[in-house]
Amino acid sequence: MTTASTAPPAWPHCGEGADADDQVGCRGIRIAPGGKCLNHLPQADRDAYIGSITTGSSLDLRGTTIDTTVLDRILAASTDPATGRPHLGDADFRSATFTGDAGFRSATFAGDAGFESATFTGRAGFESATFNGHAGFRSATFTTYADFQSATFNGHAGFRSATFATYALFQSATFNGDAGFHSATITHAVFRWAAFNGDAVFRSATFNGDAGFHSATFTNRASFESATFTTYADFESATFNDHAVFRSATFHDVFRFASAFVAGDLHFAGVTFEGLQHIGPFVCAGRVSFDRARLTGSQVTIEAAAWAVRFERTTFEGSAALRLRYANVQLSQAALAAPIAVQAWPVPYTRPDGTELDESPLHAHPPDVHLLSLEGVDAAHVVLTDVDLGRCQFTGAFHLDQIQIGFGCRFAEPPAGWHRRGTFPARWSRRKVLAEEQHWRAQAGGRAGQGWVAGPHHRVPGRGAGPDDLVGVYQQLRKAFEEARNEPDAADFYYGEMEARRHDPQRPWGERRLLWVYWLASGYGLRASRALGWLLAAMGVTLLLMVLFGLPNETPDPRTTGTWTAGTVNVTTRAPDPVLTLSWRKRLTAARTEKATVVVVNSVVFRSSGQNLTLPGTAIEMASRIGEPMLLGLAALAVRSRVKR
């Protein structure tokens, strides 16, 4: 059986040098009439062949070994007198070997140019060349310098599995068709100011040296999926007018993505960043995905303005600072080994020269940063600054009591305005609420769920957080605020915790009734207005009851009686029992109201008025001396929770 290396080529080949060890011999295509390849033709036949070449001629030199002298003669013969530049039709150099330098500088390939599996042993110069048809360099080998500076590819440019052993220069090159570098091996590559007007595919390419795409423009999709960058990868000021895909790529050293612009989505999913220190600032009009990426740097900074930035299942092996604008951030299942700070950057990003990056594609919304999920995250490493947490799902996070939430962070609030609670109008108490509580209340439907935001699993049984989940989340967040000495905001989370306990059907009925009374009386000791309202109502009722039932007709005068026995005087003073026999109309007088007011005011401060009262009045005073100071204390407690430092 023959192998690829021993099998004869698909074209009629020269066969020069064939022997028992090499039955194929020279693989160069035969050129009539000599029956040999150009390299093995007699000199006269070779001269005749080259002499037959004119401007626009097509060439078929597959498998041929071509030295510098012969190539220069071919290009000179094809030179267009009007332009002074080589002009070829179809040029088929598949599997050819160029010994010495191969200079195609400023050449025009009017048809297809085939260099598949070609080998360039010296410098390959295609600077300022124009490829109007297909440019095929698949599996080509460039052993030294490959220069495509300012080259123009108007058709498909195929460099799949090509090997650039030393240096590949594509600076200012223009790719008007698709550019395929799939599985290419590149030692040093410069694509500075290159323009890719078709798809640019570097999938599974390996850059063994520096890869420079500084200021490059990618009009269509750019794919670096599974590519490997062993040293320096520079995409500074690059423009991606479609999606940019780096999925599963590996960056072993420096990765520069500053001042870049991506009009579509930017995919870093599954990427490994080894020793990364900084990404950005850059602008992405779509979504940025770092899902399942691995960042090994000890201190990483990511600066981005984008609609959405995802870090789902991302591994941070060191600390990280995420300075973002406009972004909806997803951190669920991220693995954090050190503190990670999420911050809404307050001003537009700038280039090194001080000019601002163009964020106009994002101006439809304010530059706020919204954190959407911390599910499965160790929140002890999370630091939040100026982040909107109104839609953030905290359920499933660990160590929420150790999270650091800055004062610039914002939470959602209950629906505004009045609604009906039974037959009475009511409104929701203003406080900070979690997204999970909004989703849970929206599940109730009807009036109870009106105005609350529905969750992603709305009306799906068994999905979404319930009151039992909310108790723990609110409790841990309350502790985090208390540890930060932020008592006023901690009070809101205590309120949420009590609300969840009151509505949790798994708790005993008696406990829920007691919490209901606590809520009704003072909003769990956090609503001073409610406690004061009940206090005034209780004082009013006590006042009315005192006037109607508690005060006697008049203050009874004490009566003193005495006896004389054997020179001893015994004196006894007794006050008659208070009696109330007045008619209803005579009980409602200003004087009696004044006396009742003294009794009520003293009851509030837990003092006795010293006023003579009827038996019902005494019972009323005792009840008021217990209930009304409690309401006053609850009001004071509510005020304290809002001003405590």
Side-chain angles (χ1 to χ4, degrees), residues 388-391 410-416 428-435 437-438 441 451-453 474 492:
D388 192 317
L389 301 172
R391 291 181 287 164
R410 302 171 300 282
F411 288 84
E413 293 186 350
W428 296 104
S429 181
R430 310 311 302 166
R431 60 185 174 91
K432 294 178 174 62
V433 299
L434 300 181
E437 181 177 351
Q438 298 185 74
R441 291 189 181 275
W452 293 95
V453 178
Y474 271 120
D492 279 351

Side-chain angles (χ1 to χ4, degrees), residues 542-553:
T542 303
L543 178 65
L544 180 61
L545 293 176
M546 279 294 179
V547 170
L548 294 178
F549 304 105
L551 297 176
N553 294 341

Side-chain angles (χ1 to χ4, degrees), residues 307-382:
W307 287 125
V309 183
R310 293 175 55 90
F311 294 92
E312 188 168 348
R313 299 183 183 276
T314 303
T315 299
F316 294 88
E317 297 187 4
S319 62
L322 310 181
R323 300 170 183 168
L324 308 172
R325 290 172 58 79
Y326 299 96
N328 294 318
V329 184
Q330 179 70 259
L331 271 176
S332 59
Q333 307 297 328
L336 311 181
I340 177 172
V342 182
Q343 180 182 7
W345 199 245
V347 295
Y349 297 116
T350 58
R351 299 181 179 87
D353 61 4
T355 59
E356 293 184 356
L357 298 185
D358 182 14
E359 298 180 354
S360 58
L362 305 172
H363 285 172
H365 299 282
D368 298 338
V369 174
H370 302 263
L371 182 59
L372 302 184
S373 176
L374 283 175
E375 180 184 2
V377 175
D378 186 351
H381 295 302
V382 177

Side-chain angles (χ1 to χ4, degrees), residues 318-527:
S319 62
L322 310 181
R323 300 170 183 168
L324 308 172
R325 290 172 58 79
Y326 299 96
N328 294 318
V329 184
Q330 179 70 259
L331 271 176
S332 59
Q333 307 297 328
L336 311 181
I340 177 172
V342 182
Q343 180 182 7
W345 199 245
V347 295
Y349 297 116
T350 58
R351 299 181 179 87
D353 61 4
T355 59
E356 293 184 356
L357 298 185
D358 182 14
E359 298 180 354
S360 58
L362 305 172
H363 285 172
H365 299 282
D368 298 338
V369 174
H370 302 263
L371 182 59
L372 302 184
S373 176
L374 283 175
E375 180 184 2
V377 175
D378 186 351
H381 295 302
V382 177
V383 181
L384 306 175
T385 304
D386 295 324
V387 177
D388 192 317
L389 301 172
R391 291 181 287 164
C392 181
Q393 297 193 47
F394 290 92
T395 307
F398 306 101
H399 300 134
L400 278 173
D401 57 330
Q402 300 177 44
I403 191 172
Q404 298 183 48
I405 301 177
F407 284 97
C409 295
R410 302 171 300 282
F411 288 84
E413 293 186 350
W418 293 87
H419 65 281
R420 299 191 66 84
R421 184 173 296 167
T423 57
F424 300 99
R427 64 183 181 89
W428 296 104
S429 181
R430 310 311 302 166
R431 60 185 174 91
K432 294 178 174 62
V433 299
L434 300 181
E436 288 91 337
E437 181 177 351
Q438 298 185 74
H439 304 163
W440 160 61
R441 291 189 181 275
Q443 287 273 26
R447 293 177 178 176
Q450 187 175 359
W452 293 95
V453 178
H457 307 296
H458 187 59
R459 303 287 176 83
V460 179
R463 301 295 299 272
D468 53 335
D469 301 307
L470 290 172
V471 169
V473 176
Y474 271 120
Q475 186 180 64
Q476 292 188 65
L477 289 176
R478 171 175 62 83
K479 183 179 178 182
F481 277 97
E482 290 173 346
E483 291 292 332
R485 300 294 188 269
N486 186 357
E487 298 291 344
D489 287 339
D492 279 351
F493 289 92
Y494 175 74
Y495 193 104
E497 178 187 347
M498 292 296 102
E499 279 286 275
R501 291 180 186 275
R502 182 166 68 93
H503 289 89
D504 186 1
Q506 299 181 19
R507 295 187 175 272
W509 180 88
E511 178 184 345
R512 288 186 283 127
R513 290 298 93 189
L514 179 61
L515 290 174
W516 180 83
V517 173
Y518 192 22
W519 163 79
L520 185 65
S522 63
Y524 309 112
L526 298 174
R527 298 295 181 261

